[in-house]
PDB file of all heavy atoms in Angstrom:
ATOM      1  N   VAL A  75     -23.553  33.553 241.523  1.00  0.00           N
ATOM      2  CA  VAL A  75     -22.914  32.959 240.353  1.00  0.00           C
ATOM      3  C   VAL A  75     -23.339  33.746 239.122  1.00  0.00           C
ATOM      4  O   VAL A  75     -24.521  34.068 238.964  1.00  0.00           O
ATOM      5  CB  VAL A  75     -23.321  31.479 240.190  1.00  0.00           C
ATOM      6  CG1 VAL A  75     -22.758  30.892 238.903  1.00  0.00           C
ATOM      7  CG2 VAL A  75     -22.871  30.668 241.393  1.00  0.00           C
ATOM      8  N   THR A  76     -22.374  34.038 238.252  1.00  0.00           N
ATOM      9  CA  THR A  76     -22.711  34.707 236.990  1.00  0.00           C
ATOM     10  C   THR A  76     -22.314  33.831 235.812  1.00  0.00           C
ATOM     11  O   THR A  76     -21.439  32.967 235.917  1.00  0.00           O
ATOM     12  CB  THR A  76     -22.013  36.076 236.853  1.00  0.00           C
ATOM     13  OG1 THR A  76     -20.601  35.892 236.669  1.00  0.00           O
ATOM     14  CG2 THR A  76     -22.268  36.946 238.064  1.00  0.00           C
ATOM     15  N   GLU A  77     -22.971  34.083 234.677  1.00  0.00           N
ATOM     16  CA  GLU A  77     -22.653  33.381 233.441  1.00  0.00           C
ATOM     17  C   GLU A  77     -22.629  34.377 232.291  1.00  0.00           C
ATOM     18  O   GLU A  77     -23.598  35.125 232.085  1.00  0.00           O
ATOM     19  CB  GLU A  77     -23.672  32.278 233.155  1.00  0.00           C
ATOM     20  CG  GLU A  77     -23.599  31.133 234.159  1.00  0.00           C
ATOM     21  CD  GLU A  77     -24.650  30.061 233.938  1.00  0.00           C
ATOM     22  OE1 GLU A  77     -25.546  30.272 233.087  1.00  0.00           O
ATOM     23  OE2 GLU A  77     -24.593  29.027 234.635  1.00  0.00           O
ATOM     24  N   GLN A  78     -21.533  34.385 231.571  1.00  0.00           N
ATOM     25  CA  GLN A  78     -21.364  35.269 230.417  1.00  0.00           C
ATOM     26  C   GLN A  78     -21.906  34.576 229.167  1.00  0.00           C
ATOM     27  O   GLN A  78     -21.400  33.529 228.766  1.00  0.00           O
ATOM     28  CB  GLN A  78     -19.880  35.610 230.229  1.00  0.00           C
ATOM     29  CG  GLN A  78     -19.575  36.459 229.022  1.00  0.00           C
ATOM     30  CD  GLN A  78     -19.895  37.935 229.235  1.00  0.00           C
ATOM     31  OE1 GLN A  78     -20.140  38.364 230.370  1.00  0.00           O
ATOM     32  NE2 GLN A  78     -19.899  38.700 228.172  1.00  0.00           N
ATOM     33  N   TYR A  79     -22.949  35.139 228.575  1.00  0.00           N
ATOM     34  CA  TYR A  79     -23.529  34.630 227.336  1.00  0.00           C
ATOM     35  C   TYR A  79     -23.603  33.089 227.334  1.00  0.00           C
ATOM     36  O   TYR A  79     -22.926  32.418 226.561  1.00  0.00           O
ATOM     37  CB  TYR A  79     -22.706  35.122 226.138  1.00  0.00           C
ATOM     38  CG  TYR A  79     -23.266  34.718 224.790  1.00  0.00           C
ATOM     39  CD1 TYR A  79     -24.584  34.970 224.447  1.00  0.00           C
ATOM     40  CD2 TYR A  79     -22.440  34.067 223.859  1.00  0.00           C
ATOM     41  CE1 TYR A  79     -25.094  34.593 223.211  1.00  0.00           C
ATOM     42  CE2 TYR A  79     -22.935  33.687 222.614  1.00  0.00           C
ATOM     43  CZ  TYR A  79     -24.275  33.954 222.303  1.00  0.00           C
ATOM     44  OH  TYR A  79     -24.770  33.576 221.073  1.00  0.00           O
ATOM     45  N   PRO A  80     -24.428  32.524 228.221  1.00  0.00           N
ATOM     46  CA  PRO A  80     -24.481  31.059 228.353  1.00  0.00           C
ATOM     47  C   PRO A  80     -24.880  30.314 227.083  1.00  0.00           C
ATOM     48  O   PRO A  80     -24.507  29.147 226.914  1.00  0.00           O
ATOM     49  CB  PRO A  80     -25.509  30.849 229.476  1.00  0.00           C
ATOM     50  CG  PRO A  80     -26.279  32.127 229.561  1.00  0.00           C
ATOM     51  CD  PRO A  80     -25.326  33.203 229.164  1.00  0.00           C
ATOM     52  N   LYS A  81     -25.601  30.961 226.183  1.00  0.00           N
ATOM     53  CA  LYS A  81     -25.956  30.288 224.928  1.00  0.00           C
ATOM     54  C   LYS A  81     -24.712  29.930 224.123  1.00  0.00           C
ATOM     55  O   LYS A  81     -24.704  28.932 223.395  1.00  0.00           O
ATOM     56  CB  LYS A  81     -26.879  31.185 224.100  1.00  0.00           C
ATOM     57  CG  LYS A  81     -28.267  31.340 224.677  1.00  0.00           C
ATOM     58  CD  LYS A  81     -29.146  32.200 223.770  1.00  0.00           C
ATOM     59  CE  LYS A  81     -30.544  32.344 224.348  1.00  0.00           C
ATOM     60  NZ  LYS A  81     -31.411  33.199 223.482  1.00  0.00           N
ATOM     61  N   GLY A  82     -23.672  30.745 224.258  1.00  0.00           N
ATOM     62  CA  GLY A  82     -22.452  30.489 223.516  1.00  0.00           C
ATOM     63  C   GLY A  82     -21.377  29.793 224.331  1.00  0.00           C
ATOM     64  O   GLY A  82     -20.638  28.954 223.816  1.00  0.00           O
ATOM     65  N   LEU A  83     -21.293  30.140 225.634  1.00  0.00           N
ATOM     66  CA  LEU A  83     -20.214  29.621 226.478  1.00  0.00           C
ATOM     67  C   LEU A  83     -20.650  28.499 227.404  1.00  0.00           C
ATOM     68  O   LEU A  83     -19.830  27.956 228.148  1.00  0.00           O
ATOM     69  CB  LEU A  83     -19.608  30.767 227.306  1.00  0.00           C
ATOM     70  CG  LEU A  83     -18.940  31.875 226.494  1.00  0.00           C
ATOM     71  CD1 LEU A  83     -18.459  32.996 227.409  1.00  0.00           C
ATOM     72  CD2 LEU A  83     -17.780  31.329 225.685  1.00  0.00           C
ATOM     73  N   GLY A  84     -21.922  28.146 227.351  1.00  0.00           N
ATOM     74  CA  GLY A  84     -22.412  27.077 228.206  1.00  0.00           C
ATOM     75  C   GLY A  84     -22.748  27.558 229.605  1.00  0.00           C
ATOM     76  O   GLY A  84     -22.526  28.711 229.969  1.00  0.00           O
ATOM     77  N   THR A  85     -23.284  26.645 230.395  1.00  0.00           N
ATOM     78  CA  THR A  85     -23.661  26.971 231.767  1.00  0.00           C
ATOM     79  C   THR A  85     -22.485  26.700 232.715  1.00  0.00           C
ATOM     80  O   THR A  85     -21.431  26.214 232.305  1.00  0.00           O
ATOM     81  CB  THR A  85     -24.871  26.126 232.206  1.00  0.00           C
ATOM     82  OG1 THR A  85     -24.544  24.734 232.070  1.00  0.00           O
ATOM     83  CG2 THR A  85     -26.090  26.435 231.349  1.00  0.00           C
ATOM     84  N   THR A  86     -22.672  27.019 233.972  1.00  0.00           N
ATOM     85  CA  THR A  86     -21.663  26.749 234.999  1.00  0.00           C
ATOM     86  C   THR A  86     -21.298  25.264 234.989  1.00  0.00           C
ATOM     87  O   THR A  86     -22.169  24.408 234.824  1.00  0.00           O
ATOM     88  CB  THR A  86     -22.209  27.146 236.383  1.00  0.00           C
ATOM     89  OG1 THR A  86     -22.521  28.551 236.375  1.00  0.00           O
ATOM     90  CG2 THR A  86     -21.203  26.854 237.484  1.00  0.00           C
ATOM     91  N   VAL A  87     -20.012  24.958 235.173  1.00  0.00           N
ATOM     92  CA  VAL A  87     -19.564  23.565 235.107  1.00  0.00           C
ATOM     93  C   VAL A  87     -20.332  22.707 236.108  1.00  0.00           C
ATOM     94  O   VAL A  87     -20.678  23.157 237.195  1.00  0.00           O
ATOM     95  CB  VAL A  87     -18.042  23.446 235.350  1.00  0.00           C
ATOM     96  CG1 VAL A  87     -17.267  24.173 234.264  1.00  0.00           C
ATOM     97  CG2 VAL A  87     -17.648  23.978 236.724  1.00  0.00           C
ATOM     98  N   HIS A  88     -20.566  21.451 235.742  1.00  0.00           N
ATOM     99  CA  HIS A  88     -21.422  20.579 236.549  1.00  0.00           C
ATOM    100  C   HIS A  88     -20.904  20.378 237.967  1.00  0.00           C
ATOM    101  O   HIS A  88     -21.697  20.299 238.920  1.00  0.00           O
ATOM    102  CB  HIS A  88     -21.593  19.225 235.852  1.00  0.00           C
ATOM    103  CG  HIS A  88     -22.450  19.285 234.626  1.00  0.00           C
ATOM    104  ND1 HIS A  88     -23.799  19.570 234.683  1.00  0.00           N
ATOM    105  CD2 HIS A  88     -22.160  19.124 233.313  1.00  0.00           C
ATOM    106  CE1 HIS A  88     -24.305  19.570 233.462  1.00  0.00           C
ATOM    107  NE2 HIS A  88     -23.327  19.303 232.609  1.00  0.00           N
ATOM    108  N   ASP A  89     -19.590  20.277 238.131  1.00  0.00           N
ATOM    109  CA  ASP A  89     -19.046  20.057 239.477  1.00  0.00           C
ATOM    110  C   ASP A  89     -19.409  21.187 240.429  1.00  0.00           C
ATOM    111  O   ASP A  89     -19.612  20.951 241.633  1.00  0.00           O
ATOM    112  CB  ASP A  89     -17.522  19.915 239.410  1.00  0.00           C
ATOM    113  CG  ASP A  89     -17.094  18.575 238.832  1.00  0.00           C
ATOM    114  OD1 ASP A  89     -17.937  17.654 238.774  1.00  0.00           O
ATOM    115  OD2 ASP A  89     -15.918  18.448 238.436  1.00  0.00           O
ATOM    116  N   LEU A  90     -19.497  22.398 239.920  1.00  0.00           N
ATOM    117  CA  LEU A  90     -19.894  23.522 240.771  1.00  0.00           C
ATOM    118  C   LEU A  90     -21.409  23.613 240.890  1.00  0.00           C
ATOM    119  O   LEU A  90     -21.930  23.923 241.966  1.00  0.00           O
ATOM    120  CB  LEU A  90     -19.319  24.832 240.223  1.00  0.00           C
ATOM    121  CG  LEU A  90     -17.793  24.956 240.256  1.00  0.00           C
ATOM    122  CD1 LEU A  90     -17.368  26.373 239.859  1.00  0.00           C
ATOM    123  CD2 LEU A  90     -17.230  24.604 241.609  1.00  0.00           C
ATOM    124  N   ARG A  91     -22.110  23.345 239.806  1.00  0.00           N
ATOM    125  CA  ARG A  91     -23.577  23.347 239.878  1.00  0.00           C
ATOM    126  C   ARG A  91     -24.070  22.363 240.925  1.00  0.00           C
ATOM    127  O   ARG A  91     -24.990  22.652 241.694  1.00  0.00           O
ATOM    128  CB  ARG A  91     -24.176  23.001 238.511  1.00  0.00           C
ATOM    129  CG  ARG A  91     -24.036  24.093 237.483  1.00  0.00           C
ATOM    130  CD  ARG A  91     -24.688  23.723 236.165  1.00  0.00           C
ATOM    131  NE  ARG A  91     -26.111  23.521 236.276  1.00  0.00           N
ATOM    132  CZ  ARG A  91     -26.920  23.286 235.253  1.00  0.00           C
ATOM    133  NH1 ARG A  91     -26.427  23.235 234.032  1.00  0.00           N
ATOM    134  NH2 ARG A  91     -28.207  23.122 235.428  1.00  0.00           N
ATOM    135  N   ASP A  92     -23.448  21.194 240.968  1.00  0.00           N
ATOM    136  CA  ASP A  92     -23.856  20.168 241.935  1.00  0.00           C
ATOM    137  C   ASP A  92     -23.513  20.576 243.368  1.00  0.00           C
ATOM    138  O   ASP A  92     -24.184  20.155 244.312  1.00  0.00           O
ATOM    139  CB  ASP A  92     -23.176  18.836 241.612  1.00  0.00           C
ATOM    140  CG  ASP A  92     -23.678  18.226 240.309  1.00  0.00           C
ATOM    141  OD1 ASP A  92     -24.747  18.643 239.826  1.00  0.00           O
ATOM    142  OD2 ASP A  92     -22.986  17.340 239.774  1.00  0.00           O
ATOM    143  N   ALA A  93     -22.469  21.368 243.529  1.00  0.00           N
ATOM    144  CA  ALA A  93     -22.034  21.768 244.869  1.00  0.00           C
ATOM    145  C   ALA A  93     -22.815  22.955 245.419  1.00  0.00           C
ATOM    146  O   ALA A  93     -22.916  23.124 246.639  1.00  0.00           O
ATOM    147  CB  ALA A  93     -20.546  22.107 244.845  1.00  0.00           C
ATOM    148  N   LEU A  94     -23.368  23.771 244.533  1.00  0.00           N
ATOM    149  CA  LEU A  94     -24.047  24.992 244.961  1.00  0.00           C
ATOM    150  C   LEU A  94     -25.278  24.710 245.816  1.00  0.00           C
ATOM    151  O   LEU A  94     -25.981  23.726 245.583  1.00  0.00           O
ATOM    152  CB  LEU A  94     -24.476  25.813 243.738  1.00  0.00           C
ATOM    153  CG  LEU A  94     -23.357  26.492 242.946  1.00  0.00           C
ATOM    154  CD1 LEU A  94     -23.881  26.971 241.596  1.00  0.00           C
ATOM    155  CD2 LEU A  94     -22.776  27.657 243.739  1.00  0.00           C
ATOM    156  N   PRO A  95     -25.543  25.568 246.792  1.00  0.00           N
ATOM    157  CA  PRO A  95     -26.764  25.403 247.595  1.00  0.00           C
ATOM    158  C   PRO A  95     -28.026  25.569 246.752  1.00  0.00           C
ATOM    159  O   PRO A  95     -29.057  24.977 247.036  1.00  0.00           O
ATOM    160  CB  PRO A  95     -26.651  26.501 248.657  1.00  0.00           C
ATOM    161  CG  PRO A  95     -25.698  27.501 248.078  1.00  0.00           C
ATOM    162  CD  PRO A  95     -24.739  26.719 247.233  1.00  0.00           C
TER     163      PRO A  95
END
Side-chain angles (χ1 to χ4, degrees):
V75 175
T76 70
E77 292 177 352
Q78 177 78 12
Y79 183 52
K81 290 182 180 179
L83 297 176
T85 57
T86 300
V87 297
H88 289 293
D89 286 344
L90 294 188
R91 288 182 63 175
D92 292 343
L94 289 166

